[in-house]
Coordinates of all heavy atoms in Angstrom, one line a residue:
M897 N 151.6 -59.7 -141.5 CA 152.0 -58.3 -141.6 C 152.5 -57.8 -140.3 O 151.8 -58.1 -139.2 CB 150.8 -57.4 -142.1 CG 149.6 -57.5 -141.4 SD 148.3 -56.7 -142.3 CE 147.2 -56.3 -141.0
P898 N 153.6 -57.1 -140.2 CA 154.1 -56.7 -138.9 C 153.3 -55.6 -138.3 O 152.7 -54.8 -139.0 CB 155.5 -56.3 -139.3 CG 155.5 -56.0 -140.7 CD 154.4 -56.8 -141.3
L899 N 153.4 -55.6 -137.0 CA 152.7 -54.5 -136.2 C 153.5 -53.2 -136.5 O 154.7 -53.1 -136.5 CB 152.8 -54.8 -134.8 CG 152.4 -53.7 -133.8 CD1 150.9 -53.4 -134.0 CD2 152.6 -54.1 -132.4
I900 N 152.8 -52.1 -136.8 CA 153.4 -50.8 -137.1 C 153.5 -50.1 -135.8 O 152.5 -49.5 -135.3 CB 152.5 -50.0 -138.1 CG1 152.3 -50.8 -139.4 CG2 153.2 -48.7 -138.4 CD1 151.3 -50.2 -140.3
F901 N 154.7 -50.2 -135.1 CA 154.8 -49.7 -133.8 C 154.6 -48.2 -133.7 O 154.1 -47.7 -132.7 CB 156.2 -50.1 -133.3 CG 156.4 -51.5 -132.9 CD1 157.2 -52.3 -133.6 CD2 155.6 -52.0 -131.8 CE1 157.3 -53.7 -133.2 CE2 155.8 -53.3 -131.4 CZ 156.6 -54.2 -132.1
T902 N 155.0 -47.4 -134.7 CA 154.9 -46.0 -134.5 C 153.4 -45.6 -134.5 O 153.0 -44.7 -133.7 CB 155.6 -45.2 -135.6 OG1 155.2 -45.7 -136.9 CG2 157.1 -45.3 -135.5
L903 N 152.6 -46.2 -135.4 CA 151.1 -46.0 -135.4 C 150.5 -46.4 -134.1 O 149.7 -45.7 -133.5 CB 150.5 -46.7 -136.6 CG 148.9 -46.7 -136.6 CD1 148.4 -45.2 -136.7 CD2 148.4 -47.5 -137.7
A904 N 150.9 -47.6 -133.6 CA 150.3 -48.1 -132.4 C 150.7 -47.2 -131.2 O 149.8 -47.0 -130.3 CB 150.8 -49.5 -132.2
A905 N 151.9 -46.7 -131.1 CA 152.3 -45.9 -130.0 C 151.5 -44.6 -130.1 O 151.1 -44.1 -129.0 CB 153.8 -45.6 -130.1
K906 N 151.2 -44.0 -131.2 CA 150.4 -42.8 -131.3 C 149.0 -43.1 -130.9 O 148.4 -42.3 -130.2 CB 150.4 -42.3 -132.8 CG 151.7 -41.6 -133.2 CD 151.6 -41.1 -134.6 CE 152.9 -40.5 -135.0 NZ 152.8 -40.0 -136.4
L907 N 148.5 -44.2 -131.2 CA 147.1 -44.6 -130.8 C 147.0 -44.7 -129.3 O 146.0 -44.4 -128.6 CB 146.6 -45.9 -131.4 CG 146.3 -45.8 -132.9 CD1 146.0 -47.2 -133.5 CD2 145.1 -44.8 -133.2
E908 N 148.1 -45.2 -128.7 CA 148.1 -45.4 -127.2 C 148.6 -44.1 -126.5 O 148.6 -44.0 -125.3 CB 149.0 -46.6 -126.8 CG 148.4 -47.9 -127.1 CD 147.2 -48.2 -126.3 OE1 147.2 -48.0 -125.1 OE2 146.2 -48.6 -126.9
D909 N 149.1 -43.1 -127.3 CA 149.6 -41.9 -126.8 C 150.7 -42.0 -125.8 O 150.7 -41.4 -124.7 CB 148.4 -41.1 -126.1 CG 148.7 -39.6 -125.9 OD1 149.5 -39.1 -126.7 OD2 148.2 -39.0 -125.0
V910 N 151.7 -42.8 -126.2 CA 152.9 -43.0 -125.4 C 154.1 -42.9 -126.3 O 154.0 -43.2 -127.5 CB 152.9 -44.4 -124.7 CG1 151.8 -44.5 -123.6 CG2 152.9 -45.5 -125.6
P911 N 155.3 -42.5 -125.8 CA 156.5 -42.5 -126.6 C 156.8 -43.9 -127.1 O 156.6 -44.9 -126.4 CB 157.6 -42.0 -125.6 CG 156.9 -41.4 -124.5 CD 155.5 -42.1 -124.4
L912 N 157.4 -44.0 -128.3 CA 157.7 -45.3 -128.9 C 158.6 -46.1 -128.0 O 158.4 -47.3 -127.9 CB 158.3 -45.0 -130.3 CG 158.7 -46.3 -131.1 CD1 157.4 -47.1 -131.4 CD2 159.4 -45.9 -132.4
S913 N 159.6 -45.5 -127.4 CA 160.5 -46.2 -126.5 C 159.8 -46.9 -125.4 O 160.2 -48.0 -125.0 CB 161.6 -45.3 -126.0 OG 161.1 -44.2 -125.3
N914 N 158.8 -46.3 -124.8 CA 158.0 -46.9 -123.8 C 157.1 -48.0 -124.3 O 156.8 -49.0 -123.6 CB 157.2 -45.9 -123.0 CG 158.1 -44.9 -122.2 OD1 159.3 -45.1 -122.0 ND2 157.5 -43.8 -121.8
F915 N 156.5 -47.7 -125.5 CA 155.6 -48.6 -126.0 C 156.1 -50.0 -126.3 O 155.5 -51.0 -126.0 CB 155.0 -48.0 -127.3 CG 154.0 -48.9 -128.0 CD1 152.7 -49.0 -127.6 CD2 154.5 -49.7 -129.1 CE1 151.8 -49.9 -128.3 CE2 153.6 -50.5 -129.7 CZ 152.3 -50.6 -129.3
V916 N 157.3 -50.1 -126.9 CA 157.8 -51.3 -127.4 C 158.2 -52.3 -126.3 O 158.4 -53.5 -126.5 CB 159.0 -51.2 -128.4 CG1 158.6 -50.4 -129.6 CG2 160.2 -50.5 -127.7
V917 N 158.3 -51.8 -125.1 CA 158.7 -52.7 -123.9 C 157.5 -53.0 -123.0 O 157.6 -53.6 -122.0 CB 159.8 -52.1 -123.1 CG1 161.1 -52.0 -123.9 CG2 159.5 -50.7 -122.5
N918 N 156.3 -52.5 -123.4 CA 155.1 -52.7 -122.6 C 154.1 -53.6 -123.3 O 153.3 -53.2 -124.2 CB 154.5 -51.3 -122.3 CG 153.4 -51.4 -121.3 OD1 152.6 -52.4 -121.2 ND2 153.2 -50.3 -120.5
P919 N 154.0 -54.9 -122.9 CA 153.1 -55.8 -123.6 C 151.6 -55.4 -123.5 O 150.8 -55.7 -124.4 CB 153.3 -57.2 -122.9 CG 154.3 -57.0 -121.9 CD 154.8 -55.6 -121.9
T920 N 151.2 -54.8 -122.4 CA 149.8 -54.4 -122.3 C 149.5 -53.3 -123.3 O 148.4 -53.3 -123.9 CB 149.6 -53.8 -120.8 OG1 149.9 -54.8 -119.9 CG2 148.2 -53.4 -120.7
K921 N 150.4 -52.3 -123.5 CA 150.2 -51.3 -124.5 C 150.1 -51.9 -125.9 O 149.3 -51.5 -126.7 CB 151.3 -50.2 -124.5 CG 151.3 -49.4 -123.2 CD 150.1 -48.5 -123.2 CE 150.2 -47.5 -122.0 NZ 149.0 -46.8 -121.8
I922 N 151.0 -52.9 -126.2 CA 151.0 -53.6 -127.5 C 149.6 -54.3 -127.7 O 149.0 -54.1 -128.8 CB 152.2 -54.6 -127.6 CG1 153.5 -53.8 -127.6 CG2 152.0 -55.4 -128.8 CD1 154.7 -54.6 -127.5
A923 N 149.2 -55.0 -126.7 CA 147.9 -55.7 -126.8 C 146.7 -54.7 -127.0 O 145.9 -55.0 -127.9 CB 147.7 -56.6 -125.6
N924 N 146.7 -53.7 -126.3 CA 145.7 -52.7 -126.4 C 145.7 -52.0 -127.8 O 144.6 -51.8 -128.4 CB 145.8 -51.6 -125.3 CG 145.5 -52.1 -123.9 OD1 144.8 -53.1 -123.8 ND2 145.9 -51.4 -122.9
S925 N 146.9 -51.8 -128.3 CA 146.9 -51.1 -129.6 C 146.5 -52.1 -130.7 O 145.9 -51.6 -131.7 CB 148.4 -50.6 -129.9 OG 149.2 -51.7 -130.0
L926 N 146.8 -53.4 -130.6 CA 146.3 -54.3 -131.6 C 144.8 -54.3 -131.6 O 144.2 -54.3 -132.7 CB 146.7 -55.8 -131.2 CG 148.2 -56.0 -131.3 CD1 148.5 -57.4 -130.8 CD2 148.7 -55.9 -132.8
A927 N 144.1 -54.2 -130.5 CA 142.6 -54.1 -130.5 C 142.2 -52.8 -131.1 O 141.2 -52.8 -131.9 CB 142.1 -54.3 -129.1
A928 N 142.8 -51.7 -130.8 CA 142.5 -50.4 -131.3 C 142.6 -50.3 -132.8 O 141.8 -49.8 -133.6 CB 143.3 -49.3 -130.6
I929 N 143.8 -50.9 -133.3 CA 144.0 -50.9 -134.8 C 143.0 -51.7 -135.5 O 142.4 -51.3 -136.5 CB 145.5 -51.3 -135.1 CG1 146.5 -50.3 -134.6 CG2 145.6 -51.6 -136.6 CD1 147.9 -50.7 -134.7
H930 N 142.7 -52.9 -134.9 CA 141.7 -53.8 -135.5 C 140.3 -53.1 -135.6 O 139.6 -53.1 -136.6 CB 141.6 -55.1 -134.8 CG 140.5 -56.0 -135.4 ND1 140.6 -56.6 -136.6 CD2 139.3 -56.4 -134.9 CE1 139.5 -57.3 -136.8 NE2 138.7 -57.2 -135.8
Q931 N 139.9 -52.4 -134.5 CA 138.6 -51.7 -134.5 C 138.6 -50.6 -135.5 O 137.5 -50.4 -136.1 CB 138.4 -51.2 -133.1 CG 138.1 -52.3 -132.1 CD 138.0 -51.7 -130.7 OE1 138.3 -50.6 -130.4 NE2 137.6 -52.6 -129.7
R932 N 139.7 -49.9 -135.7 CA 139.7 -48.7 -136.6 C 139.8 -49.2 -138.0 O 139.2 -48.6 -138.9 CB 140.8 -47.8 -136.2 CG 140.4 -47.0 -135.0 CD 141.6 -46.1 -134.6 NE 141.3 -45.2 -133.5 CZ 141.4 -45.5 -132.2 NH1 141.9 -46.7 -131.8 NH2 141.2 -44.6 -131.3
L933 N 140.7 -50.1 -138.3 CA 141.0 -50.5 -139.7 C 140.4 -51.7 -140.2 O 140.5 -52.0 -141.4 CB 142.6 -50.5 -139.8 CG 143.3 -49.3 -139.4 CD1 144.8 -49.5 -139.6 CD2 142.9 -48.1 -140.3
H934 N 139.8 -52.6 -139.4 CA 139.2 -53.8 -139.7 C 140.1 -54.7 -140.6 O 139.8 -55.1 -141.7 CB 137.9 -53.6 -140.5 CG 136.9 -52.7 -139.7 ND1 136.3 -53.1 -138.6 CD2 136.6 -51.4 -139.9 CE1 135.5 -52.2 -138.1 NE2 135.7 -51.1 -138.9
L935 N 141.3 -54.9 -140.1 CA 142.3 -55.7 -140.8 C 142.0 -57.2 -140.9 O 141.4 -57.7 -139.9 CB 143.7 -55.5 -140.2 CG 144.2 -54.1 -140.1 CD1 145.5 -54.1 -139.3 CD2 144.4 -53.6 -141.4
D936 N 142.3 -57.8 -142.0 CA 142.1 -59.3 -142.1 C 143.4 -60.0 -141.8 O 143.4 -61.3 -141.7 CB 141.7 -59.6 -143.5 CG 140.3 -59.1 -143.8 OD1 139.5 -59.0 -142.9 OD2 140.0 -58.8 -145.0
G937 N 144.6 -59.3 -141.7 CA 145.8 -60.0 -141.6 C 146.2 -60.3 -140.1 O 145.6 -59.7 -139.2
V938 N 147.1 -61.2 -139.9 CA 147.6 -61.5 -138.6 C 148.8 -60.6 -138.3 O 149.7 -60.4 -139.1 CB 148.1 -63.0 -138.5 CG1 148.7 -63.3 -137.2 CG2 146.9 -63.9 -138.8
T939 N 148.8 -60.0 -137.1 CA 149.8 -59.1 -136.7 C 150.9 -59.9 -135.9 O 150.5 -60.7 -135.1 CB 149.3 -58.0 -135.8 OG1 148.2 -57.3 -136.5 CG2 150.3 -57.0 -135.5
C940 N 152.1 -59.7 -136.2 CA 153.2 -60.4 -135.5 C 154.2 -59.5 -135.0 O 154.5 -58.4 -135.5 CB 153.8 -61.4 -136.5 SG 154.6 -60.6 -137.9
Y941 N 154.8 -59.8 -133.9 CA 155.9 -59.1 -133.2 C 157.1 -60.0 -133.5 O 157.1 -61.1 -133.3 CB 155.6 -59.1 -131.7 CG 156.5 -58.2 -130.9 CD1 156.1 -57.0 -130.4 CD2 157.8 -58.7 -130.6 CE1 157.0 -56.3 -129.6 CE2 158.7 -58.0 -129.9 CZ 158.3 -56.8 -129.4 OH 159.1 -56.0 -128.6
Y942 N 158.2 -59.3 -134.0 CA 159.3 -60.1 -134.3 C 160.6 -59.5 -133.8 O 160.6 -58.3 -133.6 CB 159.4 -60.4 -135.8 CG 159.5 -59.1 -136.7 CD1 160.7 -58.6 -137.0 CD2 158.4 -58.5 -137.1 CE1 160.8 -57.4 -137.7 CE2 158.5 -57.3 -137.8 CZ 159.7 -56.8 -138.1 OH 159.8 -55.6 -138.9
D943 N 161.6 -60.3 -133.7 CA 162.9 -59.9 -133.2 C 163.8 -59.7 -134.5 O 163.9 -60.6 -135.3 CB 163.5 -61.0 -132.3 CG 164.8 -60.6 -131.7 OD1 165.7 -60.2 -132.4 OD2 164.9 -60.8 -130.5
L944 N 164.5 -58.5 -134.5 CA 165.4 -58.3 -135.7 C 166.5 -59.3 -135.8 O 166.9 -59.6 -136.9 CB 166.0 -56.9 -135.6 CG 165.0 -55.8 -135.8 CD1 165.7 -54.4 -135.6 CD2 164.3 -55.9 -137.1
F945 N 167.0 -59.9 -134.7 CA 168.0 -60.9 -134.8 C 167.4 -62.2 -135.4 O 168.1 -62.9 -136.1 CB 168.6 -61.2 -133.4 CG 169.4 -60.0 -132.9 CD1 168.9 -59.3 -131.8 CD2 170.5 -59.5 -133.5 CE1 169.6 -58.2 -131.3 CE2 171.2 -58.4 -133.0 CZ 170.7 -57.7 -131.9
L946 N 166.2 -62.5 -135.1 CA 165.5 -63.7 -135.7 C 165.4 -63.5 -137.2 O 165.6 -64.4 -137.9 CB 164.2 -63.9 -135.0 CG 163.4 -65.1 -135.5 CD1 164.1 -66.4 -135.2 CD2 162.0 -65.1 -134.8
V947 N 165.0 -62.3 -137.6 CA 164.8 -62.0 -139.0 C 166.2 -62.1 -139.7 O 166.3 -62.7 -140.8 CB 164.2 -60.6 -139.2 CG1 164.3 -60.2 -140.6 CG2 162.8 -60.5 -138.6
A948 N 167.3 -61.6 -139.0 CA 168.6 -61.7 -139.6 C 169.0 -63.1 -139.8 O 169.5 -63.5 -140.9 CB 169.6 -61.0 -138.7
E949 N 168.7 -64.0 -138.8 CA 169.1 -65.4 -139.0 C 168.2 -66.0 -140.1 O 168.7 -66.8 -140.9 CB 168.8 -66.1 -137.7 CG 169.9 -65.9 -136.7 CD 169.7 -66.8 -135.5 OE1 168.6 -66.7 -134.8 OE2 170.7 -67.6 -135.1
A950 N 167.0 -65.7 -140.2 CA 166.1 -66.2 -141.2 C 166.6 -65.9 -142.6 O 166.4 -66.6 -143.6 CB 164.7 -65.8 -141.0
L951 N 167.2 -64.7 -142.7 CA 167.8 -64.3 -144.0 C 169.2 -64.8 -144.3 O 169.8 -64.4 -145.3 CB 167.8 -62.7 -144.1 CG 166.4 -62.1 -144.1 CD1 166.5 -60.6 -144.0 CD2 165.6 -62.5 -145.3
G952 N 169.7 -65.6 -143.4 CA 171.0 -66.3 -143.6 C 172.2 -65.7 -142.9 O 173.3 -66.2 -143.1
C953 N 172.0 -64.7 -142.1 CA 173.1 -64.1 -141.3 C 173.5 -65.1 -140.2 O 172.7 -65.8 -139.6 CB 172.8 -62.8 -140.7 SG 172.4 -61.5 -141.9
Q954 N 174.8 -65.1 -139.9 CA 175.3 -65.8 -138.7 C 175.4 -64.8 -137.5 O 176.0 -63.7 -137.7 CB 176.7 -66.4 -139.0 CG 176.7 -67.4 -140.1 CD 175.9 -68.7 -139.8 OE1 176.0 -69.2 -138.7 NE2 175.1 -69.1 -140.7
L955 N 175.0 -65.3 -136.4 CA 175.0 -64.4 -135.2 C 176.0 -65.0 -134.2 O 176.1 -66.2 -134.0 CB 173.6 -64.3 -134.5 CG 172.5 -63.7 -135.3 CD1 171.2 -63.7 -134.6 CD2 172.9 -62.3 -135.7
D956 N 176.7 -64.1 -133.5 CA 177.6 -64.4 -132.4 C 176.8 -64.2 -131.1 O 176.6 -63.1 -130.7 CB 178.9 -63.6 -132.4 CG 179.8 -63.9 -131.2 OD1 179.5 -64.9 -130.5 OD2 180.8 -63.2 -131.1
L957 N 176.2 -65.3 -130.6 CA 175.3 -65.2 -129.5 C 176.1 -65.1 -128.1 O 175.4 -64.9 -127.1 CB 174.4 -66.4 -129.4 CG 173.5 -66.6 -130.6 CD1 172.7 -67.9 -130.6 CD2 172.6 -65.4 -130.8
S958 N 177.4 -65.1 -128.2 CA 178.2 -64.9 -126.9 C 178.3 -63.5 -126.5 O 178.7 -63.2 -125.4 CB 179.6 -65.5 -127.1 OG 180.3 -64.8 -128.0
T959 N 177.8 -62.5 -127.4 CA 177.9 -61.1 -127.0 C 176.5 -60.6 -126.8 O 175.5 -61.3 -127.1 CB 178.5 -60.3 -128.2 OG1 177.6 -60.4 -129.3 CG2 179.9 -60.7 -128.6
S960 N 176.4 -59.5 -126.1 CA 175.1 -59.0 -125.8 C 175.1 -57.5 -126.2 O 175.8 -56.7 -125.6 CB 174.8 -59.1 -124.3 OG 173.5 -58.6 -124.0
P961 N 174.3 -57.1 -127.2 CA 173.4 -57.9 -128.0 C 174.2 -58.8 -129.0 O 175.4 -58.5 -129.2 CB 172.5 -56.9 -128.7 CG 173.4 -55.7 -128.8 CD 174.2 -55.7 -127.6
P962 N 173.6 -59.8 -129.6 CA 174.3 -60.6 -130.5 C 174.9 -59.8 -131.6 O 174.3 -58.8 -132.1 CB 173.2 -61.6 -131.0 CG 172.2 -61.6 -130.0 CD 172.2 -60.2 -129.4
A963 N 176.0 -60.2 -132.1 CA 176.7 -59.5 -133.2 C 176.6 -60.3 -134.4 O 176.6 -61.6 -134.4 CB 178.2 -59.3 -132.8
L964 N 176.6 -59.7 -135.6 CA 176.6 -60.3 -136.9 C 178.0 -60.8 -137.2 O 178.9 -60.0 -137.0 CB 176.0 -59.4 -138.0 CG 174.6 -59.0 -137.9 CD1 174.2 -58.0 -139.0 CD2 173.7 -60.3 -138.1
E965 N 178.1 -62.0 -137.7 CA 179.5 -62.4 -138.1 C 179.6 -62.4 -139.6 O 178.7 -62.5 -140.3 CB 179.7 -63.9 -137.6 CG 179.7 -64.0 -136.1 CD 179.9 -65.5 -135.7 OE1 179.7 -66.4 -136.4 OE2 180.3 -65.6 -134.5

């Protein structure tokens, strides 16, 4: 199950834009969510481009950010 970034950012009391680039905040929020919700699932952080490729999209990796072809 994917990490719910908006919930985690609220728990850490930081703006979402700051939260997603801070690995310490992400790790702290994982612990906080687990303590509060007692989840049994594995939390994963994923890249939207990786998801797009997994769904069959072709990416042009010569551009930054990669473009869908």
Side-chain angles (χ1 to χ4, degrees):
M897 56 192 205
L899 173 62
I900 304 167
F901 285 114
T902 52
L903 171 61
K906 284 182 182 181
L907 289 173
E908 288 295 312
D909 197 30
V910 295
L912 183 59
S913 58
N914 293 347
F915 176 81
V916 297
V917 297
N918 188 326
T920 302
K921 293 287 185 191
I922 293 171
N924 290 343
S925 68
L926 290 175
I929 289 172
H930 177 69
Q931 289 172 352
R932 286 176 173 88
L933 302 178
H934 306 288
L935 301 174
D936 291 332
V938 175
T939 305
C940 59
Y941 185 109
Y942 59 90
D943 183 311
L944 292 178
F945 296 113
L946 181 62
V947 172
E949 282 187 305
L951 294 174
C953 296
Q954 297 294 319
L955 297 178
D956 179 4
L957 298 175
S958 65
T959 63
S960 181
L964 292 174
E965 292 181 342

